[in-house]
């Protein structure tokens, strides 16, 4: 593992602090960046997310999908958790906490936006970071690629309709044009670019693919850390003025994350999956494609919205929680 993966939580934490400090110190700068929009999509955020996602998409080998039939159980588990359980439990928890339990502490408009942010996290299964979680749990890298590839294919077609359905159920107006544009920008185009790049490099042969990935890796890191700084800079004043809001959003997100992992891990054990397939499958189902969720939240509701804040809290929560689940999965390897 490289320096970034080994100390991932430290770098993200430092970037969170840097973003909050810079955003409170020079809010006008971040306000200027926030105005750089096209069709409600912030161009700076879009570029950073592209820099981050593109190298991940190159790693996905869609030829591996043909091997699904040989060991289908892990794929079935991932798909059921990602698309039939997680989005709906996230929406239910959002409604329960912000419409019922926390109703006296949060105004209705903010509550609706927090729920929307949680829903966007719930309908975006992990694509990029899952390779790190898989490596940390000694997962089967080829099978992880298959799981990610299948989820990405489904996400291209299912993300927008499922997000619209759940947002509609939550009484939130869905601007379809912006939602579809976000899927195009943050899923389809980088996915297509990754496939084209991979095929052209495979035709050249040799070590050209690994060489390019090694060159792009630092840029992917810069994209991730830059996105974290920018997002927390945008939300700095809200975070400092309403720290209790961060706690309120984090509570259902934590319950969702640990709850989904418990369901998936129990099911994996009952299905008698080998640990090197079970652990990555559960990690995919538990973690989120927060890059997409953040980008769509900003596009739909604005940089300073409650929805954007909820997805940013998702970033804050995800790294330490996922590392704790990695540790748990490694300690319980003997169960499988």
């Amino acid at each position: 593992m490289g320096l970034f993966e080994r100390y991932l939580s430290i770098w993200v934490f430092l970037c969170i602090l840097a973003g909050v400090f810079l955003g409170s110190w020079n809010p006008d700068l971040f306000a200027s960046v926030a105005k750089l929009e096209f069709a409600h999509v912030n161009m700076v955020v879009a570029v950073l997310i592209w820099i981050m996602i593109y190298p991940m998409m190159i790693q996905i080998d869609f030829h591996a999908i043909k091997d699904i039939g040989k060991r289908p159980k892990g794929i079935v588990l991932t798909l059921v958790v990602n698309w039939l359980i997680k989005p709906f439990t996230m929406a239910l928890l959002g409604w329960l906490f912000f419409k019922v339990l926390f109703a006296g502490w949060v105004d209705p408009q903010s509550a609706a936006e927090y729920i929307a942010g949680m829903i966007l996290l719930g309908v975006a299964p992990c694509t990029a970071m899952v390779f790190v979680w898989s490596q940390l749990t000694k997962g089967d890298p080829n099978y992880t690629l298959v799981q990610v590839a299948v989820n990405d294919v489904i996400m291209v077609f299912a993300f927008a309709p499922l997000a619209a359905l759940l947002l509609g159920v939550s009484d939130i107006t869905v601007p379809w044009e912006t939602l579809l544009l976000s899927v195009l920008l943050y899923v389809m185009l980088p996915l297509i670019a990754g496939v084209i790049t991979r095929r052209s490099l495979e035709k050249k042969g040799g070590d050209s693919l690994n060489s390019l990935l090694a060159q792009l890796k630092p840029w992917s890191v810069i994209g991730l850390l830059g996105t974290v700084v920018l997002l927390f800079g945008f939300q700095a004043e809200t975070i400092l003025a309403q720290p209790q809001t961060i706690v309120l959003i984090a509570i259902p997100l934590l319950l969702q994350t640990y709850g989904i992992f418990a369901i998936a891990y129990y099911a994996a054990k009952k299905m008698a999956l080998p640990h090197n397939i079970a652990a990555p499958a559960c990690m995919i189902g538990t973690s989120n494609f927060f890059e997409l969720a953040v980008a769509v939240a900003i596009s739909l509701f604005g940089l300073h919205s409650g929805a954007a804040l909820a997805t940013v809290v998702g970033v804050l929560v995800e790294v330490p929680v996922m590392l704790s689940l990695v540790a748990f999965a490694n300690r319980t390897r003997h169960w499988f």
Side-chain angles (χ1 to χ4, degrees), residues 282-297:
C282 296
M283 296 297 166
I284 294 172
T286 304
S287 56
N288 306 302
F289 191 178
F290 62 79
E291 302 93 335
L292 174 63
V294 169
V296 175

Side-chain angles (χ1 to χ4, degrees), residues 200-215:
S200 63
L201 292 173
E202 285 176 341
K203 289 179 180 178
K204 291 181 179 179
D207 199 40
S208 53
L209 177 60
N210 291 330
S211 177
L212 177 64
L213 288 173
Q215 294 175 28

Side-chain angles (χ1 to χ4, degrees), residues 5 8 26 53 64 146 163 166-167 173 220 240 252 276 281:
E5 291 90 347
L8 178 62
N26 194 349
I53 294 176
V146 174
L166 292 174
L167 291 173
T173 302
S220 183
L240 293 175
N276 66 347

Side-chain angles (χ1 to χ4, degrees), residues 133-153:
W133 311 137
S134 178
Q135 185 177 15
L136 289 173
T137 55
K138 298 181 180 178
D140 183 329
N142 294 323
Y143 202 88
T144 301
L145 280 173
V146 174
Q147 291 171 311
V148 171
V150 173
N151 270 293
D152 278 357
V153 170

Side-chain angles (χ1 to χ4, degrees), residues 64-73 143:
I65 293 179
K66 67 179 185 297
D67 296 326
I68 291 175
K70 298 177 182 177
R71 293 180 292 176
K73 287 185 182 179
Y143 202 88

Side-chain angles (χ1 to χ4, degrees), residues 9 32 42 60 66 120 158 182 205 207 230 280 297 307:
S9 57
S32 299
N42 185 269
I60 299 173
K66 67 179 185 297
L120 291 174
S182 297
D207 199 40
L230 200 59

Side-chain angles (χ1 to χ4, degrees), residues 1 8 13 30 45 58 166 203 227 235 240 279-280 287-288 313:
M1 293 179 65
L8 178 62
F13 179 71
F30 285 87
V45 173
I58 296 175
L166 292 174
K203 289 179 180 178
T227 302
Q235 299 288 343
L240 293 175
S287 56
N288 306 302
V313 175

Side-chain angles (χ1 to χ4, degrees), residues 91-127:
L92 178 61
L93 281 174
W95 175 85
L96 176 63
F97 276 88
F98 288 105
K99 292 294 187 180
V100 181
L101 300 178
F102 297 159
W105 299 339
V106 181
D107 66 90
Q109 176 63 31
S110 296
E113 291 187 358
Y114 298 152
I115 294 170
M118 292 179 60
I119 288 172
L120 291 174
L121 284 168
V123 297
C126 189
T127 292

